[in-house]
Amino acid sequence: MTAPVLLREFEDFAANGGGSGPSWLLPLRRAAIDRFAALGFPTPKNEDWHFTSVAPIAEGTFRALPGGPARSVRLGAADVEPFTFARPDWIRLVFVNGRYDAALSSGAARPTGVTVTDLARAWREQPEVLERHVGKVADYQRTAFTALNTAFMHDGALIQLAPDVALETPIHLVFVSTPEAAGSASHVRTLIVAGHHARATVIESYVSLGGATGYFTNAVTEAVLGDGATLAHLKLQTESERAFHVGTLQAHQGRDSHLVSFAYAAGGELARTNVYTLLAGEGSGATLHGLYLLDGEQHVDQQTRIEHASPNTFSREVYKGILDGSSHGVFNGQVFVRPEAQKTDGKQENNNLLLSAQARIDTKPQLEIFADDVKCTHGATVGRLDEMALFYMKSRGIGAERARKLLTYAFAAGVIEAVGVPEVRAELEALTLRRFAGAGAAAGS
Amino acid sequence: MLDIRNLQARVGGGADILKGITLHVNAGEVHAVMGPNGSGKSTLAQVLAGNPAYEVTGGSATLDGNDLLAMQPEERAHAGLFMAFQYPVEIPGVSNAYFLRSAYNEIRKAHGQDEVDPLEFLDIMEKNLALVDMEPSMLNRSVNAGFSGGEKKRNEILQMAVLRPRLAILDETDSGLDIDALRIVAEGVNKLRRPDNATIVVTHYQRLLNHIVPDFVHVLSAGRIVKSGGKELALELEEKGYDWIETPAEAVA
Ligand SMILES: Nc1ncnc2c1ncn2[C@@H]1O[C@H](COP(=O)(O)OP(=O)(O)OP(=O)(O)O)[C@@H](O)[C@H]1O
Ligand SMILES: [Mg+2]
């Protein structure tokens, strides 16, 4: 998937179907691929990618087939059931290798004022809203992977909430990859438009089936939050340890809006999660939580960028990482406070727990403040399991393995508690307990 | 029941802190261990409980004939040993209820008994909470996290009450307690006294021994027991301080 190969693939794509869709789309794709050609894949010299080499992706043989490989993959409901939180009633779109699968998706009725459509159809049926926002929020000028997605995007989801609509149950997008995905890239794209004072929860699950390996997901989600809107966004990335993943959430926030993001990253050989938001409207705020659990040879990188662009905006950020084996984790938390963003209130925290001597974490808080009347704090810690706490537990009869697990879990518990959807919270608790279980039995509740 | 012979131990490869402790405790007895700051009282307690930070350099310790020093800390707990920490450890994120139930069940499992479920356990807890005058709400709080000094000490006694050890070692459980809390703790210990268990009370002060009456008092100084006697020895110490007790030669040098 070297850059020249990609440019040739783009020409093929543009000639065969990439040009379909609304008339403004092909020029947007061209602008994006031109930008990608100029940027190239990021190198460690790029400060946004300082600790992460994307060589395995750049030099990989992933074919940027929009919509993924052969349509012939047929999954049954039972295959995806494990990823549904036992809530078949939620509005759910399922994508297999980057393509929407209507049969696996739930046709749950959309309440009045709520639109949830697969993107391939939305290009035809709702081009106006797409034209208004696609490519306007997700910044393909700065980010090569977003440019690539914008050039090749085809399937994904469009979620629209009319003003004042409050949706109680989550909207769930499930991106499943199967062994047939090997060697391919999928550039799924999601647009979320929340009207003023609308309120909803969107969950994105990225999962592998049947030990899918050697595929690349390059997902971009754009979110537009109207005045007073609240969007809870949960990204759960639990792909196989041989998957490649770059996922970006980029939001634009109106006055008094609130973005509540939770990013869980446990899968991937090389995985990068970006959460970017622009606090454009006065009084808007972002609460970002993240948990990354790494093991073996995994390299998992998270970057957050919060731009305080208006007065009285706030941000709250807690990311935690647990690293075992010879994994390598990266956290880069950027907070920019523009001159006009007086009374900004920002707090950032990144805590890491290293379970092995070989595991490594690079944590880099990055605050750039251009206003003078602001309150911004940040802190980063890297630690190991507390030996004294381990001994204390053992001295009460709790076995070594169980004591380790309990302490590891306790470290993560703080951010898991922040997950507002009980079903997801319970699942994450179980996943976290299981993840570092070693040979011991799983802890009960 | 507990048989310690010529026990020596150190920390981090330094000089021995315990320089040969010999102590026998029979079922039904209460022993008090007193001694000045830094004399090795906590070291003795920690070594018996199996803190890996301490290295045993000589001697032996058995509980009911079993070699304590060969056991993992959790195995010692399963065998009936309990040590109330001088400085109880805070464990944010693990609730007291979950922690105690895990401990309780692991000890039951080690004895081939069935685990109890959360509801049954709540029953057990209610009785014991009353014993140490603690609110049930503290069960939902993280282990010792943000507890006051007195709450931490009471929490140690609560654990002891729930786990019912054969041998309890209380390391300065009285320090930092006001007189009411002291009475609660002492009453808890007295109520748990049975002919088949034993207690070692490590303390600085005679006042605790007004409430928990010891059968024997030992004075530890510079890593050795330099004097043993009945409960009147504690009174004597209270009056005269530790200076009148013969200091071992090495400590003077
Ligand atoms: N983990 C440790 N690392 C280094 N030195 C230690 C450690 N534990 C104990 N010591 C040293 O061993 C000696 C005995 O300490 P210990 O805590 O056993 O005394 P103590 O009798 O319990 O004192 P106190 O009355 O203050 O509780 C002291 O000199 C102390 O500094
Ligand atoms: Mg002490």
Side-chain angles (χ1 to χ4, degrees):
Chain A
M1 208 172 94
T2 56
V5 172
L6 279 170
L7 301 183
R8 270 202 309 281
E9 266 189 38
F10 179 80
E11 291 310 327
D12 289 350
F13 170 56
N16 306 295
S20 69
S23 60
W24 50 269
L25 185 53
L26 189 58
L28 173 64
R29 293 186 190 285
R30 281 217 178 276
I33 199 73
D34 288 348
R35 188 61 196 149
F36 174 76
L39 289 168
F41 280 108
T43 67
K45 277 191 212 127
N46 180 332
E47 70 170 279
D48 287 342
W49 293 86
H50 190 62
F51 299 105
T52 296
S53 162
V54 300
I57 294 171
E59 291 158 17
T61 52
F62 309 111
R63 308 250 340 251
L65 288 181
R71 273 172 167 280
S72 61
V73 182
R74 285 263 52 107
L75 298 180
D79 295 313
V80 294
E81 198 278 334
F83 312 118
T84 58
F85 304 100
R87 292 300 302 260
D89 55 316
W90 287 353
I91 298 174
R92 177 175 292 113
L93 303 189
V94 178
F95 302 84
V96 179
N97 299 332
R99 257 189 199 284
Y100 175 63
D101 188 319
L104 297 178
S105 301
S106 106
R110 287 26 170 177
T112 315
V114 177
T115 309
V116 182
T117 318
D118 60 286
L119 193 62
R121 195 166 86 194
W123 294 126
R124 298 191 303 272
E125 297 180 1
Q126 288 158 278
E128 304 81 12
V129 60
L130 294 171
E131 181 175 13
R132 225 169 13 254
H133 301 294
V134 169
K136 306 276 192 339
V137 178
D139 183 3
Y140 63 83
Q141 293 296 336
R142 171 166 177 177
T143 310
F145 285 103
T146 298
L148 209 50
N149 176 288
T150 305
F152 288 103
M153 63 189 171
H154 173 69
D155 225 335
L158 167 64
I159 297 170
Q160 247 187 303
L161 304 158
D164 294 313
V165 165
L167 191 56
E168 294 306 326
T169 55
I171 296 166
H172 190 194
L173 310 178
V174 189
F175 300 93
V176 186
S177 292
T178 70
E180 289 82 357
S184 75
S186 77
H187 302 279
V188 287
R189 182 81 165 217
T190 297
L191 172 65
I192 304 168
V193 183
H196 68 79
H197 301 95
R199 175 186 285 272
T201 297
V202 175
I203 305 169
E204 295 181 24
S205 296
Y206 294 87
V207 300
S208 307
L209 257 188
T213 64
Y215 66 91
F216 173 46
T217 304
N218 179 30
V220 172
T221 297
E222 294 176 277
V224 184
L225 282 72
D227 292 353
T230 298
L231 173 67
H233 182 270
L234 287 86
K235 181 192 170 192
L236 311 171
Q237 194 274 104
T238 56
E239 293 173 281
S240 87
E241 291 190 16
R242 298 294 322 282
F244 298 86
H245 180 104
V246 177
T248 300
L249 166 67
Q250 192 154 10
H252 183 281
Q253 298 189 230
R255 194 185 173 97
D256 296 322
S257 66
H258 191 191
L259 172 69
V260 184
S261 154
F262 179 85
Y264 180 82
E269 177 170 332
L270 170 56
R272 163 75 169 243
T273 292
N274 300 318
V275 176
Y276 302 148
T277 192
L278 177 67
L279 301 176
E282 184 163 356
S284 60
T287 303
L288 312 185
H289 285 107
L291 179 62
Y292 42 100
L293 308 180
L294 284 61
D295 205 347
E297 305 273 308
Q298 288 184 286
H299 182 108
V300 178
D301 179 342
Q302 8 280 314
Q303 185 179 58
T304 61
R305 184 184 303 140
I306 302 165
E307 280 205 62
H308 292 264
S310 270
N312 295 306
T313 50
F314 70 91
S315 57
R316 291 284 176 276
E317 179 168 13
V318 182
Y319 267 65
K320 290 196 182 206
I322 303 174
L323 298 87
D324 204 352
S326 49
S327 63
H328 183 181
V330 180
F331 172 79
N332 175 213
Q334 304 182 343
V335 177
F336 298 113
V337 181
R338 293 193 191 163
E340 58 272 36
Q342 296 296 359
K343 305 274 183 211
T344 282
D345 178 4
K347 235 185 224 155
Q348 181 191 88
E349 219 183 294
N350 173 232
N351 310 116
N352 297 283
L353 177 62
L354 300 182
L355 295 179
S356 82
Q358 292 78 37
R360 173 178 157 199
I361 177 77
D362 288 293
T363 171
K364 185 181 166 202
Q366 196 180 334
L367 273 59
E368 292 179 29
I369 300 170
F370 299 99
D372 48 24
D373 184 14
V374 304
K375 203 167 64 190
C376 278
T377 62
H378 67 88
T381 62
V382 179
R384 297 185 183 277
L385 284 181
D386 179 355
E387 288 297 328
M388 222 27 221
L390 279 175
F391 171 57
Y392 187 69
M393 296 181 118
K394 288 193 238 176
S395 80
R396 297 301 180 249
I398 299 173
E401 188 62 39
R402 175 84 172 254
R404 267 175 204 289
K405 264 174 56 178
L406 264 178
L407 282 185
T408 305
Y409 172 75
F411 175 84
V415 275
I416 295 177
E417 276 162 20
V419 173
V421 184
E423 291 87 347
V424 176
R425 197 166 55 233
E427 173 86 13
L428 291 180
E429 282 168 359
L431 278 176
T432 306
L433 275 171
R434 225 182 297 139
R435 174 89 178 177
F436 298 104
S445 55
Chain B
M1 179 158 88
L2 177 69
D3 194 15
I4 306 173
R5 286 171 202 255
N6 194 28
L7 186 64
Q8 297 147 51
R10 62 180 183 179
V11 91
D16 279 350
I17 300 170
L18 300 184
K19 296 172 183 162
I21 303 273
T22 297
L23 181 66
H24 303 280
V25 177
N26 296 311
E29 293 177 350
V30 173
H31 289 239
V33 173
M34 303 182 76
N37 292 125
S39 55
K41 305 182 297 292
S42 292
T43 301
L44 177 61
Q46 295 279 338
V47 166
L48 292 176
N51 185 338
Y54 296 84
E55 182 195 353
V56 174
T57 52
S60 65
T62 60
L63 182 65
D64 298 320
N66 300 312
D67 182 2
L68 262 188
L69 304 179
M71 297 183 206
Q72 293 297 319
E74 60 270 32
E75 294 168 333
R76 301 181 196 202
H78 301 163
L81 183 78
F82 179 92
M83 193 264 291
F85 284 57
Q86 181 174 4
Y87 305 107
V89 180
E90 301 194 2
I91 313 179
V94 177
S95 78
N96 239 338
Y98 189 87
F99 172 67
L100 250 179
R101 183 158 52 85
S102 299
Y104 187 77
N105 277 331
E106 295 245 348
I107 291 173
R108 284 183 67 90
K109 259 195 325 208
H111 292 178
Q113 296 165 312
D114 288 341
E115 297 189 24
V116 300
D117 64 36
L119 277 178
E120 289 173 88
F121 189 69
L122 211 61
D123 266 0
I124 299 168
M125 288 307 301
E126 269 168 15
K127 297 187 193 86
N128 290 302
L129 280 166
L131 187 75
V132 291
D133 194 26
M134 282 178 99
E135 292 295 323
S137 62
M138 63 76 61
L139 290 175
N140 300 323
R141 292 171 58 185
S142 290
V143 179
N144 293 326
F147 283 30
S148 71
E151 283 175 330
K152 284 181 183 170
K153 297 300 174 92
R154 274 192 274 169
N155 201 22
E156 295 291 285
I157 299 304
L158 174 68
Q159 293 173 17
M160 180 179 90
V162 171
L163 302 179
R164 303 240 154 201
R166 248 174 88 55
L167 174 69
I169 304 169
L170 310 182
D171 190 359
E172 305 220 14
T173 303
D174 55 331
S175 57
L177 295 184
D178 61 32
I179 192 69
D180 291 332
L182 184 77
R183 201 172 296 126
I184 289 165
V185 164
E187 271 170 25
V189 172
N190 287 332
K191 275 188 199 146
L192 295 168
R193 250 179 111 162
R194 295 188 313 264
D196 64 338
N197 65 17
T199 312
I200 298 175
V201 184
V202 175
T203 182
H204 253 74
Y205 311 104
Q206 152 66 22
R207 63 172 194 161
L208 177 66
L209 304 179
N210 291 333
H211 300 277
I212 305 174
V213 181
D215 301 298
F216 301 94
V217 175
H218 311 276
V219 181
L220 201 60
S221 174
R224 285 202 174 89
I225 292 179
V226 292
K227 203 166 179 61
S228 294
K231 59 175 184 275
E232 60 296 338
L233 178 56
L235 288 168
E236 218 171 332
L237 286 168
E238 179 90 340
E239 250 171 66
K240 305 184 188 167
Y242 291 109
D243 291 343
W244 64 281
I245 289 175
E246 194 190 332
T247 342
E250 292 99 315
V252 175

